[in-house]
Amino acid sequence: MRARRWSRVNSRCGRDEAGWRIQPRCTICPDALGEAADITAADVWPGGNPTGEAAEVNGVITRTLAGEALFNEAMAAGALVSGGAMTPEALSDTQPHHVSKKKNLAARLRGRCAADTPVYAHTEPRIVTLDAKNPAEQEGAFTRAKVGWFCEALPE
C-alpha cells in the first residue's frame, strides 16, 4: 500500500509558505518535525520545493534505539529500502520551511497570546532556544488571531 500525501491533495506546493493552505493549528505545532517520536517519516524535496521530489522517496529519521530497531526490522522484512544516510544539513535543505517554522514558533505564540487567543501548554525547550525573536511573525500572528483566522472550536 502506498501512503497518500496530504500535501499533494491540498496543493501545498511552492517555496513561498504564504501560499500554502494548511490548518491554522499547524502553524503553531510544537512538534511538526516529530522530535518526540521514536521514528519519523518526511518528504524529501531537494531544495525545499515539492515539485522537485523524487518518486517514492521519503526520509526516515530514527531518534531512539526503539526507532532504529523498528527501521531495521522494516528493512529486514523488505518493507523499506535504504538509500543511504542523510546528514541533518541535507534534511534541512529538503524541508527548509520546518527550520523557519521552528525559529518563528515562539513569536507566533506570543502574538496569539497578545490577541487573547488560546494556545496550548507546552514544555518543549527548543521553542525558547531557537526563538528568532521575529517581531513581524509576532505581529502577523496577532493580526490573524484578531481577524478570526484561528477560529477552531476548542475541545470540551
Side-chain angles (χ1 to χ4, degrees):
M1 179 172 100
R2 186 165 178 218
R4 296 184 188 272
R5 295 186 178 148
W6 184 88
S7 55
R8 289 248 189 245
V9 175
N10 289 292
S11 302
R12 186 179 152 210
C13 293
R15 257 190 114 90
D16 182 11
E17 293 179 60
W20 293 357
R21 294 181 296 170
I22 59 175
Q23 298 295 322
R25 66 183 166 270
C26 295
T27 65
I28 59 164
C29 176
D31 195 26
L33 299 174
E35 293 175 273
D38 293 318
I39 187 169
T40 305
D43 287 319
V44 174
W45 297 335
N49 192 342
T51 60
E53 75 179 314
E56 300 182 25
V57 174
N58 290 91
V60 175
I61 304 165
T62 58
R63 301 183 189 281
T64 64
L65 292 175
E68 187 72 19
L70 183 61
F71 177 76
N72 290 333
E73 288 172 25
M75 287 205 354
L80 293 176
V81 176
S82 177
M86 197 171 192
T87 65
E89 294 78 19
L91 185 60
S92 290
D93 176 63
T94 70
Q95 296 281 329
H97 57 284
H98 279 298
V99 175
S100 170
K101 178 180 171 183
K102 195 74 165 184
K103 288 180 177 180
N104 289 309
L105 184 56
R108 290 176 179 175
L109 292 173
R110 283 192 298 272
R112 288 193 60 183
C113 284
D116 291 325
T117 303
V119 296
Y120 53 84
H122 59 79
T123 58
E124 216 279 58
R126 287 173 30 100
I127 292 173
V128 174
T129 304
L130 297 173
D131 187 356
K133 309 257 190 285
N134 187 336
E137 280 292 329
Q138 185 170 332
E139 181 63 29
F142 175 83
T143 302
R144 286 187 295 278
K146 282 298 190 184
V147 299
W149 197 61
F150 301 109
C151 59
E152 297 176 88
L154 294 174
E156 298 291 324

